[in-house]
Amino acid sequence: MKIMKFGGTSVGKPERMHQVKDLITRDNEKKIVVLSALSGTTNALVSISDALAAAKKDLAKERIDALHQHYLDFYKALLKTEASRSKAEKIIKEHFEFLNIILKISFNEAISRDILAQGELLSTKLFYTLLQELDIPAVFLPALDFMSIDENSEPELKKISERLKVILGNYPEDRIFVTQGYICKNHRNEVDNLKRGGSDYSASLIGAAVSADVVEIWTDIDGMHNNDPRVVNKTRPIAQLSFDEAAELAYFGAKILHPASIWPAQQYNIPVKLLNTMEPDALGTTITKKEMGTGVKALAAKDGITAIKIKSTRMLLAYGFLRKVFEVFEKYKTSIDMITTSEVAVSVTIDDLSHLDEIVKELEGYGLVEVDKNQTIISIVGNLIAESKGTLAKVMNSLAGIPIRMVSYGGSRHNVSLLVEAQYKNEALQSLNEGLFEW
Ligand code: ASP
Ligand code: MG
């Protein structure tokens, strides 16, 4: 069994959806096809939900109508026969009637999540209609029948696996299963989701749940690149990464893969491949547990970082200071990315500012607090970085002209992280690109 996940751009145009159909019928392997919403749809649904939350019903209605029109154009270009077109019309009608009913009732959080779920429901149903039109045997597998999260919004992998095995057991002969990424049920049995970009996470959870041979993530780029192609002038795809390396890259800014999607694959040792819908035979990136090569493989950057420094003369020779500091962040459920310490001060970085004021106020009980906003973490990722000679020297030489606020080295064998002011990000990525890689 393999999992094939296609992102929004891979299903976002009728001709792209036809390509997806070609890709899933290239071999006769058993597969679960996981689809995102058509590109732009989730954003549109978010904006509809935002308009409703702000009680701007006219604006919401306008946005619903625009999205509706998009789907009416889409299905006509996707499907040929009268029979399948009328099926698609019914599907679209059902989902937009739902959105229009919501306009009339009072808005709440649960309804907002219902709205967000419409994108994946529409994309999978339309794709399934295409398969039916072309007489390609497939089974429609509603994600809401098996995908679930607990009261902490954590996926219930064991239950997901049990449910999926029962469902799949009903179709021993079938080869193609189509399901939604992103959406799930929560502990109150309401429709919920795995957060933006969560279709990758769905694919990897499903892969772990059925012990798949491989999880293929199909996008519109030829794998994970060694630097950010939007920022630097040359990059290349990386053929192989370990789970740990991929997790660092995904977390620290490589947009191609949702960071949470690494752990299920890593825990159940299922290879993940990043492949390109436009160039299906290109190598892409393979992520496995194997750690290969030494030295730097890639750079990534994470924006929107805030550094907080707590300075205390009482930290000198005292124990328990760090625990007190960390407890403040724990209390406000704010996770820390980087830490550096000196004998009298500790600096940490966070990206979630929702409780910044409360955090600073409590930290002031322990020492002098300084906050620097608009920082960027530059993450240098590879294998055995701390053990490979000269890497840090090259990093520092490349960044000779840039002020560095924090350095984190040796926390893992896979990563050196630097904190710079956001205005230096592009220059830092470009200089490191030249200083660390052979071109
Ligand atoms: N459609 C959802 C989003 O845009 C989930 C995904 O595509 O991964 O965030
Ligand atoms: Mg994505």
Side-chain angles (χ1 to χ4, degrees):
M1 177 78 100
K2 71 174 169 182
I3 313 301
M4 298 177 83
K5 180 260 168 179
F6 295 88
T9 45
S10 303
V11 292
K13 297 223 166 78
E15 61 273 23
R16 291 285 184 89
M17 243 191 205
H18 278 266
Q19 257 173 320
V20 171
K21 174 266 300 173
D22 292 339
L23 287 170
I24 66 165
T25 49
R26 286 210 297 185
D27 59 46
N28 201 28
E29 254 178 87
K30 232 174 154 76
K31 55 187 66 92
I32 300 180
V33 178
V34 180
L35 301 185
S36 287
L38 313 196
S39 54
T41 294
T42 309
N43 285 343
L45 293 168
V46 168
S47 76
I48 290 165
S49 164
D50 287 349
L52 285 172
K56 295 181 180 158
K57 292 207 173 186
D58 293 345
L59 185 61
K61 175 71 180 146
E62 223 173 85
R63 289 173 176 168
I64 292 171
D65 289 346
L67 192 64
H68 193 174
Q69 190 55 50
H70 181 68
Y71 278 85
L72 294 177
D73 298 337
F74 188 91
Y75 92 84
K76 283 173 199 147
L78 179 74
L79 302 162
K80 290 211 169 52
T81 69
E82 269 320 305
S84 51
R85 283 181 168 204
S86 84
K87 263 187 221 163
E89 257 167 53
K90 261 177 71 184
I91 292 164
I92 293 167
K93 185 160 177 254
E94 178 199 331
H95 288 278
F96 282 89
E97 261 174 17
F98 172 78
L99 289 174
N100 279 305
I101 286 171
I102 280 178
L103 272 180
K104 300 195 184 88
I105 58 184
S106 64
F107 180 81
N108 61 44
E109 274 306 309
I111 287 180
S112 148
R113 292 189 295 261
D114 259 320
I115 295 175
L116 297 188
Q118 302 308 305
E120 272 69 12
L121 293 170
L122 278 161
S123 66
T124 48
K125 288 183 187 178
L126 291 174
F127 182 68
Y128 187 67
T129 308
L130 173 67
L131 296 183
Q132 286 177 314
E133 175 176 277
L134 300 170
D135 281 328
I136 298 166
V139 177
F140 189 78
L141 215 61
L144 298 179
D145 289 351
F146 61 85
M147 197 50 104
S148 63
I149 52 176
D150 64 18
E151 59 277 13
N152 298 313
S153 299
E154 291 298 327
E156 304 178 303
L157 191 47
K158 205 164 158 264
K159 288 187 188 166
I160 295 168
S161 174
E162 286 163 5
R163 293 184 201 114
L164 258 178
K165 280 176 187 153
V166 172
I167 300 172
L168 293 173
N170 296 332
Y171 306 97
E173 303 300 328
D174 286 278
R175 322 295 305 164
I176 300 176
F177 298 85
V178 177
T179 192
Q180 299 90 16
Y182 181 58
I183 63 172
C184 61
K185 285 276 185 82
N186 65 23
H187 68 292
R188 289 185 295 266
N189 206 31
E190 299 158 347
V191 174
D192 210 318
N193 61 64
L194 300 175
K195 309 268 155 42
R196 293 306 305 272
S199 292
D200 296 343
Y201 197 14
S202 301
S204 132
L205 289 165
I206 294 170
V210 303
S211 309
D213 301 314
V214 60
V215 174
E216 297 180 351
I217 307 284
W218 291 83
T219 64
D220 53 356
I221 179 167
D222 53 349
M224 186 107 65
H225 277 228
N226 67 334
N227 204 333
D228 189 336
R230 293 160 304 180
V231 174
V232 303
N233 55 18
K234 47 185 178 194
T235 64
R236 58 176 175 244
I238 317 162
Q240 192 277 340
L241 285 170
S242 67
F243 286 120
D244 288 333
E245 291 164 341
E248 305 252 17
L249 285 173
Y251 183 70
F252 286 113
K255 290 281 177 305
I256 181 169
L257 188 65
H258 190 289
S261 56
I262 303 288
W263 76 260
Q266 181 161 26
Q267 194 170 325
Y268 291 84
N269 195 18
I270 298 162
V272 175
K273 283 189 168 193
L274 308 179
L275 297 161
N276 186 352
T277 323
M278 307 304 280
E279 260 182 83
D281 295 315
L283 217 51
T285 300
T286 302
I287 305 165
T288 62
K289 72 170 183 200
K290 242 197 337 242
E291 299 194 345
M292 278 163 63
T294 45
V296 178
K297 290 189 190 165
L299 309 173
K302 190 171 179 191
D303 300 313
I305 302 293
T306 293
I308 303 172
K309 179 160 54 187
I310 307 105
K311 194 173 167 214
S312 167
T313 40
R314 275 177 292 155
M315 185 175 164
L316 197 68
L317 301 175
Y319 51 82
F321 178 75
L322 286 177
R323 180 178 55 75
K324 287 184 208 148
V325 167
F326 289 151
E327 268 171 3
V328 175
F329 291 90
E330 188 184 345
K331 179 170 166 194
Y332 293 101
K333 296 195 165 126
T334 299
S335 83
I336 294 172
D337 285 330
M338 272 178 86
I339 335 172
T340 54
T341 61
S342 82
E343 189 51 45
V344 292
V346 51
S347 278
V348 304
T349 70
I350 59 172
D351 66 350
D352 174 1
L353 299 186
S354 27
H355 298 287
L356 182 63
D357 293 344
E358 294 111 298
I359 289 173
V360 168
K361 208 156 171 217
E362 290 206 22
L363 289 174
E364 278 169 345
Y366 303 119
L368 210 62
V369 180
E370 270 174 43
V371 176
D372 294 314
K373 290 189 179 169
N374 293 323
Q375 308 285 311
T376 293
I377 295 177
I378 307 277
S379 204
I380 299 157
V381 174
N383 193 28
L384 300 171
I385 290 195
E387 289 86 339
S388 64
K389 273 192 205 155
T391 304
L392 200 57
K394 277 191 206 159
V395 169
M396 291 307 173
N397 285 335
S398 312
L399 298 178
I402 296 173
I404 300 170
R405 167 76 172 75
M406 286 167 70
V407 180
S408 172
Y409 176 83
S412 87
R413 305 151 80 187
H414 307 290
N415 171 295
V416 182
S417 292
L418 308 159
L419 190 74
V420 298
E421 266 179 46
Q423 55 168 317
Y424 296 114
K425 165 187 157 176
N426 291 4
E427 191 186 337
L429 285 177
Q430 185 63 47
S431 307
L432 288 167
N433 208 40
E434 282 151 27
L436 289 175
F437 300 119
E438 307 274 336
W439 293 100

